[in-house]
Amino acid sequence: MSTTPEQKLLLAQKRFGNLIRAIPVGVVMVNPDGIIEAVNPAIVKMFGYSERELAGLDFRMLLQTVPWADEAELLAWHNSNPEKAIELRGVKKSGGSLPVDVSVSQLDNESRRQLLLIMMQDVSERVKIEKMKQEFFDMVSHDMRTPLCSISLLVDMLQENASDLPDDTREEIKKIGNNSKHVTRLINDLLDIEKVEAGEIKLIYGLFSLSEMIMNAIDVVQAQATKRKVNLVAASSELIVCADQDRVLRVLINLISNAIKFSPKGGKIEISFVDQPDETIVSVKDEGRGIPSNMQELVFERFKQVEAADATSKGGSGLGLAICKGFIEAHGGRIGVESAVGQGSKFWFSIPHRDISEFAAEQSGANAEE
Ligand SMILES: Nc1ncnc2c1ncn2[C@@H]1O[C@H](COP(=O)(O)OP(=O)(O)OP(=O)(O)O)[C@@H](O)[C@H]1O
Ligand SMILES: [Mg+2]
């Protein structure tokens, strides 16, 4: 006997019901007043109530604080964030709490009553891992940076009074100094990249002369350039930009220092900028080995280097460009490279123009708060 279309539909509905009951995500069906009509077993497991206890109750009792005043707000939130989940605190029957990702969708049914499906996912594991990560970074920043700082100070003191020591001892002290500086820089870079990825970069905007900033960056890398006999040529103009000076300086230092690392002896590096209607573009052009096209996007990812030996032979960890990208994108700018193997590279970044009157208003607001 063959099954009718109605029977097929019933079977499919039954299977779908079984699926909702089996999935490990909590599902609560509520009516337009927020009253629970049905829950799946995952909700029972997460909150410790039985299905019967929950039926007829307001779903808000499962959450510590609800960011929506009523169902209309809940629906408006859902409509503007259709794919999005929000992390809230769930309250168990025992009184304990758990972190849950909550998302909402609308369910059309025959009686035309607008039912809502509220999905809740227990994210305790994710929150635990985030906490461990945070603790690790706190530990790195405090417990490792502090002793390294003392080692560096001690080495500086030893170097100042090292004139009586034998040459090889002085050389060893110098090596300790360089290594501790290298590890300190790596730790600082890791902490920065962590901030970039967590979206926690807070920019401190200010007005400054781009030419002066380029001269500052050159001061920092001049010794490295002289050592490699590389010639630095910089453009100069009266241009004033509005950006986070420290962050843009670090971007420039990394780009110029990369250009020096990969330049041939006697090579030239040009640092220039052009002011366009919406943004200022700064570029650093070298005559080095260039970057293959398949790596031109990848080098902006952390720990990505064109050649495995770049970490050892050129002394770098592959974090510099990832940090540059984070700093520039935090400004709303773009960063990229034009290059061809054997023909040098031109790294560039943009600083979007800011409305100076808006910036002045922000400044006076900040001053008033102080
Ligand atoms: N100007 C350049 N010419 C050729 N290759 C480059 C240039 N700049 C960067 N690269 C390639 O991109 C990689 C990543 O650069 P990035 O600045 O992120 O790291 P790094 O310089 O190796 O280390 P760090 O900046 O953390 O000390 C480099 O290792 C190199 O392979
Ligand atoms: Mg670098």
Side-chain angles (χ1 to χ4, degrees):
M1 203 174 68
S2 65
T3 45
T4 65
E6 288 75 22
Q7 281 171 324
K8 274 190 187 152
L9 187 67
L10 271 176
L11 193 66
Q13 279 174 345
K14 196 168 167 230
R15 282 202 186 125
F16 189 65
N18 287 343
L19 188 82
I20 295 281
R21 295 190 73 75
I23 55 169
V25 177
V27 183
V28 186
M29 190 168 81
V30 302
N31 72 17
D33 302 318
I35 302 300
I36 299 175
E37 299 218 336
V39 297
N40 74 343
I43 287 286
V44 171
K45 198 167 155 219
M46 260 156 62
F47 291 91
Y49 291 100
S50 67
E51 285 186 37
R52 192 182 294 183
E53 281 173 314
L54 287 172
L57 295 178
D58 193 313
F59 88 94
R60 278 166 279 230
M61 60 162 292
L62 293 176
L63 297 169
Q64 222 164 49
T65 42
V66 186
W68 315 288
D70 52 31
E71 273 55 43
E73 265 191 31
L74 175 63
L75 266 180
W77 176 81
H78 158 65
N79 289 334
S80 50
N81 306 274
E83 306 282 315
K84 222 169 160 186
I86 181 171
E87 190 184 316
L88 297 172
R89 222 76 227 138
V91 187
K92 298 187 198 182
K93 184 180 180 184
S94 63
S97 72
L98 77 163
V100 279
D101 266 359
V102 178
S103 58
V104 182
S105 50
Q106 262 171 294
L107 199 70
D108 287 322
N109 70 339
E110 306 84 45
S111 63
R112 297 190 177 279
R113 283 168 67 233
Q114 194 78 85
L115 293 177
L116 294 178
L117 269 193
I118 302 188
M119 259 79 69
M120 299 194 193
Q121 178 146 29
D122 182 350
V123 289
S124 308
E125 272 311 300
R126 185 184 79 202
V127 170
K128 207 162 98 192
I129 289 169
E130 275 165 10
K131 192 163 166 260
M132 277 163 60
K133 206 167 135 194
Q134 190 54 45
E135 282 168 0
F136 171 73
F137 277 99
D138 289 348
M139 185 277 283
V140 167
S141 61
H142 182 261
D143 297 3
M144 284 173 80
R145 253 199 315 195
T146 316
L148 269 168
C149 202
S150 333
I151 293 174
S152 291
L153 282 175
L154 210 65
V155 171
D156 286 348
M157 269 166 57
L158 275 173
Q159 274 177 329
E160 275 169 27
N161 303 298
S163 48
D164 300 340
L165 297 174
D167 282 354
D168 50 353
T169 310
R170 283 216 305 266
E171 205 41 46
E172 289 304 318
I173 295 174
K174 198 170 151 199
K175 270 193 211 154
I176 298 174
N178 287 344
N179 281 333
S180 70
K181 279 196 191 92
H182 178 72
V183 180
T184 308
R185 200 170 74 91
L186 185 62
I187 290 174
N188 288 339
D189 281 355
L190 276 171
L191 293 172
D192 273 337
I193 205 93
E194 175 61 16
K195 270 201 209 125
V196 164
E197 282 177 6
E200 283 171 3
I201 294 286
K202 288 202 180 62
L203 298 179
I204 304 167
Y205 278 92
L207 295 171
F208 57 89
S209 144
L210 200 50
S211 287
E212 268 176 39
M213 136 132 353
I214 293 175
M215 292 327 287
N216 287 344
I218 288 181
D219 278 349
V220 176
V221 295
Q222 187 60 62
Q224 187 195 354
T226 313
K227 208 164 148 195
R228 292 192 49 85
K229 300 194 170 44
V230 172
N231 201 3
L232 302 177
V233 184
S236 162
S237 91
E238 303 285 299
L239 184 69
I240 300 288
V241 292
C242 183
D244 184 322
Q245 190 164 358
D246 279 353
R247 261 61 181 255
V248 177
L249 178 66
R250 286 194 47 200
V251 171
L252 254 178
I253 293 173
N254 186 50
L255 296 186
I256 308 175
S257 123
N258 280 353
I260 299 172
K261 275 200 288 191
F262 297 98
S263 277
K265 276 222 164 72
K268 183 168 82 168
I269 295 172
E270 286 171 80
I271 304 131
S272 58
F273 51 88
V274 276
D275 200 30
Q276 294 187 340
D278 299 329
E279 56 187 10
T280 307
I281 311 242
V282 184
S283 38
V284 177
K285 186 165 173 281
D286 65 56
E287 299 171 338
R289 70 178 193 202
I291 299 176
S293 55
N294 65 331
M295 287 300 290
Q296 289 176 11
E297 258 184 57
L298 285 178
V299 287
F300 292 95
E301 285 179 18
R302 57 168 154 172
F303 299 120
K304 285 279 173 4
Q305 296 179 304
V306 175
E307 286 176 23
D310 288 348
T312 42
S313 65
K314 306 283 177 188
S317 45
L319 287 173
L321 288 176
I323 295 172
C324 293
K325 187 169 190 267
F327 285 174
I328 292 302
E329 287 180 351
H331 281 84
R334 300 166 296 128
I335 188 164
V337 62
E338 288 160 24
S339 182
V341 174
Q343 293 177 31
S345 312
K346 182 169 152 188
F347 277 85
W348 59 268
F349 63 89
S350 69
I351 308 173
H353 288 171
R354 287 199 87 198
D355 185 344
I356 301 285
S357 57
E358 198 182 287
F359 167 69
E362 268 173 34
Q363 287 294 99
S364 62
N367 290 343
E369 270 174 38
E370 275 170 17

